[in-house]
């Protein structure tokens, strides 16, 4: 099944853009690859244009007709988030999908961003919140089938990273506990 359902009157996957944060590795890369396979215009956003370029080359090697763009985005800088949204809007009037996937966890010590916010909070939440708000008009302009996926990648990453702390067995049977 298609990752992105087609908007009314459009072919599957053909869209105005699918910005994906954290698209150079992990879930973001796999999502960008799948979107490219479906023919979507994939806008790969991340801190390192070099790593994004390498990821785009790997996708193009598998899907030569892929339509890929890269945008620099450092979620630890709200100025960078604004610049990324502005650069996206300069090329695209609408977007069909916004995948807010990038995130950080387990930073060894508390640190603040240039904006004065706690780093994990800004990167995982405030940065994506601002990006989504800056692109909201483009999302609304695409169609009623527009889709925003947020934080799923972070939840999966955290669950995997801390799987040893979870007391869940794949074979565990639900148990009723006395109230």
């Amino acid at each position: 099944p298609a990752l992105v359902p087609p908007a009314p009157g459009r072919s599957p996957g053909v869209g105005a853009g699918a910005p994906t944060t954290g698209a150079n590795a992990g879930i973001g890369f796999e999502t960008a690859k799948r979107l490219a396979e479906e023919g979507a215009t994939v806008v790969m956003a991340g801190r390192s244009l070099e790593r994004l370029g390498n990821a785009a080359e790997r996708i193009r090697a598998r899907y030569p007709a892929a339509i890929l763009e890269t945008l620099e985005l450092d979620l630890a800088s709200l100025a960078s988030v604004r610049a990324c949204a502005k650069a996206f809007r300069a090329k695209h009037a609408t977007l069909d999908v916004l995948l807010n996937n990038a995130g950080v966890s387990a930073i060894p010590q508390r640190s603040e961003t240039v904006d004065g916010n706690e780093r994990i909070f800004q990167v995982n939440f405030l940065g994506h919140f601002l990006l989504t708000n800056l692109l909201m008009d483009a999302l609304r302009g695409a169609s009623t089938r527009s889709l925003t996926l947020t934080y799923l990648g972070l939840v999966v990453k955290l669950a995997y990273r801390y799987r040893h702390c979870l007391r869940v067995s794949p074979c565990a049977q639900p148990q009723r506990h006395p109230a």
Side-chain angles (χ1 to χ4, degrees):
L3 185 62
V4 181
R10 284 176 139 155
S11 300
V14 177
T20 305
T21 65
N24 62 300
I27 293 169
F29 175 76
E30 293 301 323
T31 303
K33 188 167 65 172
R34 179 66 190 273
L35 288 167
E37 177 185 14
E38 293 182 12
T41 299
V42 182
V43 181
M44 303 170 70
R47 288 182 310 224
S48 169
L49 288 176
E50 180 182 350
R51 287 193 305 249
L52 288 169
N54 292 338
E57 287 176 22
R58 293 192 330 258
I59 293 172
R60 280 195 191 98
R62 185 157 182 185
Y63 305 107
I67 304 167
L68 304 170
E69 301 172 17
T70 58
L71 282 177
E72 190 169 16
L73 170 65
D74 181 358
L75 292 163
S77 164
L78 298 180
S80 175
V81 174
R82 287 183 180 91
C84 179
K86 183 177 180 180
F88 178 86
R89 293 301 301 267
K91 291 185 78 172
H92 304 277
T94 62
L95 66 98
D96 291 322
V97 180
L98 175 58
L99 292 139
N100 291 325
N101 167 70
V104 295
S105 65
I107 294 176
Q109 62 186 28
R110 185 186 192 284
S111 62
E112 291 186 356
T113 65
V114 295
D115 303 297
N117 298 307
E118 194 277 327
R119 183 169 302 282
I120 292 174
F121 181 61
Q122 180 166 325
V123 171
N124 295 349
F125 300 99
L126 296 179
H128 284 133
F129 180 80
L130 178 60
L131 181 64
T132 300
N133 276 284
L134 292 171
L135 296 177
M136 191 59 73
D137 289 342
L139 268 170
R140 287 188 184 127
S143 74
T144 57
R145 299 188 89 173
S146 294
L147 174 68
T148 303
L149 303 175
T150 309
Y151 310 123
L152 175 61
L154 177 62
V155 170
V156 171
K157 288 177 196 173
L158 288 173
Y160 179 78
R161 183 175 184 92
Y162 295 103
R163 67 192 178 282
H164 61 280
C165 299
L166 302 175
R167 298 175 198 259
V168 177
S169 167
C171 300
Q173 296 297 317
Q175 297 177 0
R176 293 183 184 257
H177 297 282

